[in-house]
Amino acid sequence: MIAIGCDHGGFALKQEIISYLQQNGYEYQDFGTYDVESCDYPAYGEKVARAVASGACEKGLLFCGTGVGISLAANRVKGIRAVVCSEPYSAEMSRRHNNANVLCLGGRVVGPGLAEQIVDVWLHTEFEGGRHERRVSLLDSIAP
Ligand code: RB5
């Protein structure tokens, strides 16, 4: 199950990616927002992050104008490794090396075609483990 959420700045792109998820047979839970009315990104970043951190959802996809604000919100939740990506290479490496569990995209930064490529590679790439396991664990040892 993939948790998905956005603010008004990411709403249009979220809808595009929902179509991609449906076409590719992914199960998802949409935590809103559900229209383009102005809203506050921290609320949606937190909802998706908590769904992932609790184990209810395996991964999360978040969208705001830049992807930045909503990633900052998600990263406040313990156990969340949220990344902002605007191209596929970083998206792939964020899975292979960082075991990122939330991907954030900017609806005012990337178009739907590029966003689909980024989401596709991110969802299909596994964590490499090994030396990266220790480094990722060290993230959790940083005191808040
Ligand atoms: C909303 O205008 C915008 O600030 C928000 O979507 C996001 O880009 C914040 O990081």
Side-chain angles (χ1 to χ4, degrees):
M1 179 70 72
I2 293 170
I4 191 163
C6 68
D7 75 353
H8 54 289
F11 176 75
L13 188 56
K14 185 192 73 172
Q15 298 311 112
E16 296 278 356
I17 296 302
I18 283 177
S19 297
Y20 161 87
L21 295 176
Q22 289 171 341
Q23 282 161 22
N24 288 279
Y26 287 100
E27 287 191 13
Y28 65 92
Q29 188 175 350
D30 185 356
F31 288 85
T33 190
Y34 303 110
D35 55 41
V36 292
E37 192 175 329
S38 184
C39 64
D40 298 326
Y41 57 79
Y44 300 96
E46 182 182 3
K47 283 176 203 275
V48 165
R50 292 212 183 279
V52 174
S54 70
C57 293
E58 182 196 341
K59 287 177 183 159
L61 298 173
L62 284 168
F63 307 84
C64 68
T66 58
V68 173
I70 210 152
S71 74
L72 294 173
N75 276 316
R76 292 295 181 100
V77 175
K78 191 170 166 50
I80 292 302
R81 293 173 299 280
V83 291
V84 187
C85 295
S86 302
E87 35 72 30
Y89 178 76
S90 300
E92 179 181 340
M93 297 311 285
S94 78
R95 289 287 311 131
R96 285 173 57 180
H97 286 190
N98 312 116
N99 202 13
N101 51 13
V102 176
L103 173 65
C104 307
L105 296 169
R108 297 171 184 156
V109 180
V110 292
L114 180 56
E116 248 183 54
Q117 283 187 356
I118 294 168
V119 169
D120 193 63
V121 73
W122 192 79
L123 289 176
H124 284 103
T125 303
E126 296 298 324
F127 179 46
E128 279 179 14
R131 68 186 189 281
H132 302 294
E133 189 80 63
R134 175 173 47 82
R135 293 168 183 164
V136 169
S137 303
L138 285 168
L139 291 173
D140 292 328
S141 71
I142 299 173

